[in-house]
Amino acid sequence: MKRREFLSWTVKAGAVLMLPAIWTGCKGGNGGSAVALPDLPYPANALEPYISEKTIGFHYGKHHKGYVDKVNRLTKGTRFAGISLEEMIIESSGKEGAKAVFNNAAQVFNHTFYWNSMSPDGGGEPTGAVSEKMKASFGSVDKFKNEFVSAATGQFGSGWAWLVQRDEAFEIVATANADTPIAHGLKPLMVIDVWEHAYYLDYQNKRKEYVEACLEHLVNWAFVEENVAVAD
Ligand code: FE2
């Protein structure tokens, strides 16, 4: 999907369908206002015992907020001020001199997407259309989970493991540092943060245990289903 097609897709989706909270929650800068730090979709202790309140406190209150503050400092008075967060990401992607804007804007988006990808009522197995598409794309839900864990643990250094949609098929992609599927025309459905700050207080170096806990107990399949619906 080309950049122009992606932008028209988001506009079309916004006009026709009820957008998942993530897409409206990530809008930043419209009308010259700053990028906002969206509220967490649940209390900071809601993902315990799998992700502690202490981890969420630092992750949301320091890291996520830090990216919001930085992108606002970087874009104030520039051509990036007053556009949506998604446009900011797409417009700065791969552009000379805009790397810091891209990194901080993408990290705002990625973290908001991550909070919404997890839920205290999550985990278990996907149902309905998500289950059907998953079986068609990976063979079975178990195969998806195995491949996802491999991608998440195989990502060297900091990054993200994503379930995305390309045309009608589901795919798993791992991105490094701040990189994000929307910069590549891929539609994100779910993400797990595999930067060390996401799990080190609770799991130390055991990234695999953290990813498996997220998949088994926290993945918000209802959010995935909402995101799939936007593409239809
Ligand atoms: Fe993070």
Side-chain angles (χ1 to χ4, degrees):
M1 191 185 293
K2 298 284 193 304
R3 186 179 70 182
R4 186 181 298 273
E5 290 171 330
F6 175 80
L7 286 171
S8 68
W9 169 74
T10 58
V11 170
K12 182 180 169 191
V16 175
L17 297 165
M18 179 71 76
L19 286 175
I22 178 67
W23 298 104
T24 51
C26 280
K27 292 291 182 191
N30 286 326
S33 59
V35 172
L37 177 67
D39 291 337
L40 273 176
Y42 34 72
N45 65 355
L47 303 184
E48 291 191 343
Y50 309 108
I51 301 175
S52 68
E53 181 174 11
K54 188 173 184 182
T55 289
I56 300 279
F58 279 103
H59 200 174
Y60 173 75
K62 302 293 183 187
H63 292 275
H64 194 178
K65 183 178 185 301
Y67 295 123
V68 170
D69 292 345
K70 187 86 182 280
V71 78
N72 284 324
R73 283 203 302 275
L74 287 167
T75 56
K76 189 174 181 181
T78 74
R79 66 190 173 93
F80 295 108
I83 61 175
S84 73
L85 187 64
E86 297 97 316
E87 288 172 321
M88 202 181 283
I89 291 165
I90 291 162
E91 291 295 328
S92 62
S93 177
K95 297 280 168 55
E96 189 74 28
K99 193 168 180 57
V101 170
F102 176 81
N103 284 341
N104 286 278
Q107 284 293 77
V108 174
F109 179 90
N110 293 348
H111 280 91
T112 305
F113 210 89
Y114 170 60
W115 305 128
N116 284 276
S117 293
M118 302 291 114
S119 166
D121 303 317
E125 303 290 314
T127 58
V130 174
S131 174
E132 292 306 311
K133 283 179 181 285
M134 193 158 276
K135 286 172 188 166
S137 302
F138 302 106
S140 70
V141 173
D142 282 345
K143 283 183 179 172
F144 154 73
K145 288 182 178 177
N146 288 336
E147 287 182 36
F148 195 93
V149 170
S150 293
T153 53
Q155 169 58 37
F156 184 77
S158 298
W160 303 82
W162 303 83
L163 175 65
V164 303
Q165 188 166 336
R166 186 196 298 273
D167 299 323
E168 286 303 303
F170 285 2
E171 288 182 16
I172 295 164
V173 296
T175 60
N177 301 317
D179 201 10
T180 186
I182 68 171
H184 305 283
L186 293 171
K187 197 165 80 70
L189 302 177
M190 181 274 284
V191 71
I192 295 180
D193 188 340
V194 295
W195 285 58
E196 284 187 347
H197 65 229
Y199 60 90
Y200 216 84
L201 289 174
D202 299 327
Y203 296 86
Q204 292 75 54
N205 61 330
K206 302 185 208 64
R207 184 190 287 185
K208 185 166 185 273
E209 287 185 16
Y210 154 71
V211 173
E212 287 174 341
C214 291
L215 283 178
E216 291 305 316
H217 302 288
L218 298 178
V219 167
N220 184 354
W221 292 115
F223 178 65
V224 175
E225 195 171 330
E226 282 183 279
N227 289 328
V228 172
V230 171
D232 292 335

